[in-house]
Amino acid sequence: MTPRILFAAVAALSLASCGGNDAVSGGNSAGGTTSGGTTAGTSTAAVTPSAAGQKWIDTVVKTPEGGYRMGNPDAAIKVVEYGSRTCPTCGAFGQTGQKPLTENYVSTGKVSYEFRDYLVHGQPDFAPSLLGRCVGTATFFPLLEAMYVAQPQFEAKLADQAATTALQTQLQGKTPNEAAAAWGDYLGYVEFVKQRGIPEAKARACIADKAALDEIIGMMSKGDGAAVTGTPTFIINGAKVDGVTWADVEAALKRAGA
């Protein structure tokens, strides 16, 4: 799904494919870009030490752009991922790439990793994104990984065309947040986060947060998101990675000097 279509009909269900993207983005990260999706230059900057007693992988903040960043804020190599929590290609990266990225690269202080929710599937993405962003910085990335590990159980319900069509019909005329609540219940995301210590009342309040949903949509409409045509999209120091797998991302990191 393209951003323009999503913004024009945010309450409508879209089941666009994920994984394909071909636009090169300038991004908001430091560093130059080259054609062909490669990262320009390599880094030789000194690494700033983390705060005493705190590891870089435990240093997580919400960025001005609306994403969540793990690692050294002054890292010479900045990775930004635009991802959908219902996208199988994103799930594959979350299951195979998130740990080596954080443990082997972010932990050194040379690399930071920012995740920005991108609602490529429309309504089904609303609830997991809203829930994932309301838990706070300390548990943002653990919950993101948990959602990707458990993704097959949600995908099985998305694949039930009769049920999803019926739900879509029921949601005609509903607000985006009302649709988010219905999809969150149908797909099982509310129960999923309850089992991980989030009270149901808090989960439902997060899903009902119109300002939070507006923030996600606004984040998609500007910056790198204006050029993202599929998920996941990875951007390293302002240059889009030509690929969507951990092997692709790691190769780009090494070219950048990680």
Side-chain angles (χ1 to χ4, degrees):
M1 169 179 255
T2 66
R4 184 173 300 173
I5 294 172
L6 177 59
F7 304 146
V10 70
L13 170 64
S14 168
L15 292 178
S17 64
C18 61
N21 44 61
D22 55 13
V24 176
S25 168
N28 73 317
S29 303
T33 62
T34 63
S35 61
T38 59
T39 304
T42 58
S43 167
T44 58
V47 177
T48 304
S50 59
Q54 187 175 28
K55 299 178 181 179
W56 281 128
I57 59 175
D58 297 326
T59 303
V60 180
V61 299
K62 185 176 180 180
T63 67
E65 293 75 20
Y68 283 75
R69 184 188 64 225
M70 175 197 301
N72 181 2
D74 298 318
I77 301 170
K78 303 180 188 299
V79 179
V80 177
E81 175 188 357
Y82 285 89
S84 159
R85 296 172 194 250
T86 64
C87 165
T89 310
C90 302
F93 180 85
Q95 294 167 29
T96 62
Q98 189 170 324
K99 279 191 175 180
L101 170 60
T102 58
E103 293 178 358
N104 299 339
Y105 293 95
V106 177
S107 65
T108 67
K110 291 183 63 177
V111 176
S112 66
Y113 168 47
E114 180 178 348
F115 182 87
R116 300 179 185 176
D117 281 279
Y118 198 84
L119 310 177
V120 74
H121 284 161
Q123 290 180 350
D125 275 324
F126 292 178
S129 295
L130 289 166
L131 290 168
R133 292 166 61 85
C134 84
V135 296
T137 55
T139 52
F140 178 88
F141 284 100
L143 182 58
L144 176 66
E145 183 179 9
M147 284 183 173
Y148 280 144
V149 170
Q151 193 183 71
Q153 73 188 57
F154 307 123
E155 291 298 318
K157 291 190 175 182
L158 271 177
D160 187 337
Q161 294 187 2
T164 56
T165 300
L167 179 58
Q168 183 181 1
T169 300
Q170 295 171 15
L171 293 176
Q172 292 181 2
K174 301 294 185 180
T175 69
N177 289 91
E178 289 171 338
W183 279 100
D185 284 328
Y186 169 70
L187 294 174
Y189 281 106
V190 174
E191 185 62 30
F192 180 80
V193 297
K194 280 173 58 181
Q195 293 174 0
R196 284 152 182 81
I198 300 174
E200 182 173 353
K202 178 179 179 179
R204 296 198 178 280
C206 291
I207 291 175
D209 190 340
K210 181 180 182 301
L213 184 56
D214 289 344
E215 180 183 47
I216 298 172
I217 294 170
M219 177 174 62
M220 293 170 59
S221 70
K222 59 188 179 183
D224 298 322
V228 175
T229 58
T231 56
T233 290
F234 297 96
I235 297 167
I236 297 180
N237 284 358
K240 185 187 162 216
V241 175
D242 185 14
V244 296
T245 68
W246 166 236
D248 298 326
V249 173
E250 186 172 36
L253 284 169
K254 290 180 178 179
R255 288 195 298 272

